[in-house]
Amino acid sequence: MEKILVTGANGFVGQELVQVLTQRGHSVIATGKGPTRLAVETNGVRYVAADITHPFELQAIIESEKPTAIVHCAAMSQVDECEQKQKEAHNINVEATARLVLDAEEHNCFFLFVSTDFVFDGEKGMYTEEDDLNPISWYGQTKLEAEAIVQTAEVPWAIVRTCLVYGNAYSHGRSTIFSWLRDNLKAGRHCKVVDDQFRTPTYVNDLAIGIALVLEQRKTGIWHISGEEVFTPYRMGLAIAEMGGWDAGLMERVTAASFTQPGKRPAKTGFDIQKAKKELGYQPRSFSQVAAQLLAG
Ligand SMILES: NC(=O)c1ccc[n+]([C@@H]2O[C@H](COP(=O)([O-])OP(=O)(O)OC[C@H]3O[C@@H](n4cnc5c(N)ncnc54)[C@H](OP(=O)(O)O)[C@@H]3O)[C@@H](O)[C@H]2O)c1
């Protein structure tokens, strides 16, 4: 058991991670912007409000709490928002990460950074940890720069890249691709769904377990943690419609080009997760297994 500080604990991944880490017996200092939005605060969790762009707030928490590891999930995570607020995105995603790495060094904490498939250009797909990075969005660019800083850390570090994370809508948060598709289909609402963006969608609970495995085994370096089946959002929708007994015809199959969005999305990402399977013992569940569970709940 150890004491782990999590940033971005109010977010989609952060909320799940806090729950999984405490279930695994760790003590968690959950940090987020403003008041807590954690659905459940169990015994092992303490929430502390901290803005990662503030020069000293996290430093003070780390100083007093003395965590053994930091998992850095906080980010400006929306591609279009990053494109439109480039300076702010850089401040949150890059400069705050650099400060947090210094804090980790000062207090000798293992540092785990959560990154994204958007560091790739989407030409090749099924990326390994060794593939060349070439982001096509400002979001991806900021995550690439943050990754580069993490790699200079003078404490053991890990970068966990993940891809199209899904699950139920989370406490006080946005919908996820899964909950959006399910809710539209269930309500009989027409929706436009992209069929030319290929990903290996990641169940949020699998991701949280993957992060815990890296932490607990003190594995360093870069790790690709995602599902292992390739889907487009449209094909996820087809599977959900079939399992839920809903009309797949409600979905209009479209291409990404039919949307005008400020930030570009890579066409074909998805991860080769062989390294995580062999070296961490990571095993994601299949999409149909997770979907059945989420639809039943
Ligand atoms: N979800 C995905 O599909 C996906 C895929 C690849 C990688 N990732 C990465 O996974 C990590 C978690 O993503 P997510 O999906 O959980 O995103 P999220 O729900 O947007 O969570 C990010 C959290 O960071 C917080 N944050 C932003 N600025 C902050 C600041 N200045 N100080 C403190 N906290 C701040 C946000 O707070 P507020 O909620 O208050 O704004 C939010 O709770 C991110 O690093 C993201 O890049 C996610």
Side-chain angles (χ1 to χ4, degrees), residues 8-12 14-15 31-38 47 170-172:
N10 280 332
F12 177 40
Q15 289 193 10
T31 70
K33 209 169 51 175
T36 179
R37 300 204 295 272
L38 290 173
Y47 180 86
Y170 53 111
S171 171
H172 308 288

Side-chain angles (χ1 to χ4, degrees), residues 11-13 37 51-52 73-75 77 115 139 143 165 170 174:
F12 177 40
V13 173
R37 300 204 295 272
D51 185 329
I52 59 164
C73 292
S77 62
S115 192
Y139 167 65
K143 296 299 268 191
V165 188
Y170 53 111
R174 288 181 297 270

